[in-house]
Amino acid sequence: MDTQLKRGLLDVCVLSVLSKGESYGYKIISDLSSHILISESTLYPILKKLEQTGCVTTRKAEHNGRLRKYYIITAMGKERIKEFLTDMQEFLDVHEFIRQGGSL
Amino acid sequence: MKLKEKWLKGLNRALYKMPKDERLKATEFYLELIDDKIESGEGEASVIESLGSPQDVAKKILDENGIKYNRANKNVGEKIVETASKLPLWAVIIIGFFAVAVGLPVVIGLGAALLSVVVTFWAVFGAMVGSAVGCVVAIFVSIILGIVGFVSNGVAFVGACILGLGVTMILAVGFWYLATYTTEFTVYVCKKLGKGGKKA
């Protein structure tokens, strides 16, 4: 798949995972890995951007004597998912149009 | 946990272009991740290997931030430390010894040579100025002599002195340019050497 397209999809994939409940780095990767292969060096910038754009917030909690950072989706993040699904519907319509050879 | 610490230190170093708090966040993220993977049963060595080199990871993080991670931009000191850290200690000591034993005299020699050229040019310039002044004085003296009575000798002498004055003035100008150019060059070289050690 085209890299740019994949990157755009990954943002929403991460948000989708978080919409089910807060999570942390390692768990996000393993939850996603059954559907999309994502490396740590890809995930970190995504989480950073999501935090910058206000789609997630973070909190720190202790786990086994060390600090763990949890990512929590915000209202804006949930809105972003809705936006994506609407865009995708348009995309699918265009896809169908092209698949039919330029006519519907 | 030596591998983990080494990897994280490498990441921190490779992210030197980022502000400190950003660097800290990135290293914390990876520390947590590594610890989680180890906790889930994966061996430390295997985890570190699967992450790839800290430089590659750093590059990706910097790319996302629009910061160019350019190996070539690293200053001389950093490059030396990086290569040195990959060699065994005995190799570093031997190389260091040779670098000083051979390099230092060469640098001193070159520096001295350059300096002596500069000094020479200035000295000749000074000599030419001195000669020009001497010629001017001689002209006046011979004019006086001519007036007093030694006419033909005086005229010839004045002519010779004017010629001498002309020649020395031309040479003086020439050596002035040579001297100033070589001085500027020396200053430029010194600045470049100074910057090479400090560039970050």
Side-chain angles (χ1 to χ4, degrees):
Chain A
M1 193 193 288
D2 174 54
T3 337
Q4 283 283 72
L5 188 60
K6 191 170 184 187
R7 270 303 313 276
L9 292 178
L10 284 176
D11 290 6
V12 209
C13 284
V14 172
L15 281 174
S16 189
V17 167
L18 292 174
S19 70
K20 297 194 186 79
E22 67 174 19
S23 192
Y24 54 96
Y26 178 64
K27 190 157 183 295
I28 296 173
I29 294 181
S30 38
D31 286 346
L32 276 172
S33 65
S34 45
H35 307 279
I36 291 186
L37 260 179
I38 177 172
S39 74
E40 303 81 9
S41 44
T42 313
L43 178 64
Y44 178 68
I46 290 175
L47 286 171
K48 225 177 137 213
K49 199 174 95 179
L50 289 173
E51 199 179 351
Q52 275 169 358
T53 52
C55 292
V56 308
T57 52
T58 62
R59 71 177 185 95
K60 281 190 178 162
E62 217 211 285
H63 166 85
N64 280 1
R66 51 188 175 94
L67 272 182
R68 183 179 265 169
K69 198 175 195 179
Y70 288 90
Y71 297 87
I72 308 139
I73 192 170
T74 62
M76 200 181 282
K78 291 183 183 158
E79 197 53 44
R80 174 81 190 91
I81 296 177
K82 283 202 196 126
E83 247 177 54
F84 172 80
L85 291 171
T86 320
D87 289 345
M88 273 314 287
Q89 191 48 60
E90 276 183 54
F91 181 84
L92 287 168
D93 294 341
V94 173
H95 170 264
E96 187 58 26
F97 177 76
I98 295 169
R99 204 179 66 81
Q100 300 274 15
S103 64
L104 269 172
Chain B
M1 290 280 170
K2 204 176 165 232
L3 279 172
K4 178 177 90 174
E5 262 114 38
K6 197 170 166 212
W7 194 93
L8 288 168
K9 274 202 184 126
L11 181 68
N12 190 51
R13 237 185 291 129
L15 290 173
Y16 73 92
K17 280 189 178 177
M18 286 184 99
K20 195 168 184 188
D21 58 331
E22 294 288 335
R23 246 186 295 143
L24 187 63
K25 279 187 188 168
T27 33
E28 272 176 2
F29 176 83
Y30 278 92
L31 170 65
E32 189 194 300
L33 194 82
I34 293 168
D35 282 340
D36 278 332
K37 283 194 170 189
I38 293 173
E39 201 181 280
S40 75
E42 215 180 319
E44 189 192 0
S46 152
V47 172
I48 298 298
E49 208 189 309
S50 68
L51 287 174
S53 82
Q55 287 78 26
D56 288 338
V57 171
K59 184 174 189 298
K60 231 177 166 172
I61 296 173
L62 290 168
D63 275 349
E64 293 294 329
N65 281 24
I67 303 172
K68 220 172 168 229
Y69 174 79
N70 197 342
R71 287 195 121 101
N73 280 350
K74 285 200 282 180
N75 64 36
V76 178
E78 273 225 322
K79 274 197 185 134
I80 291 175
V81 169
E82 195 181 310
T83 6
S85 61
K86 290 184 187 147
L87 296 168
L89 184 63
W90 61 265
V92 176
I93 291 174
I94 289 176
I95 289 172
F97 174 76
F98 273 113
V100 172
V102 174
L104 204 59
V106 170
V107 168
I108 291 173
L110 283 174
L114 192 59
L115 215 58
S116 52
V117 168
V118 173
V119 169
T120 308
F121 283 148
W122 281 110
V124 175
F125 166 70
M128 289 300 111
V129 170
S131 312
V133 171
C135 289
V136 170
V137 171
I139 289 171
F140 275 115
V141 169
S142 46
I143 288 174
I144 292 168
L145 284 175
I147 292 170
V148 169
F150 302 95
V151 177
S152 52
N153 284 351
V155 170
F157 200 48
V158 168
C161 289
I162 291 172
L163 180 66
L165 178 66
V167 171
T168 48
M169 277 176 69
I170 290 169
L171 285 174
V173 169
F175 276 99
W176 162 259
Y177 277 115
L178 277 172
T180 42
Y181 279 144
T182 42
T183 309
E184 272 174 36
F185 177 69
T186 313
V187 170
Y188 170 74
V189 168
C190 290
K191 276 189 180 160
K192 269 274 172 165
L193 288 174
K195 270 200 191 137
K198 273 188 247 162
K199 204 161 110 170

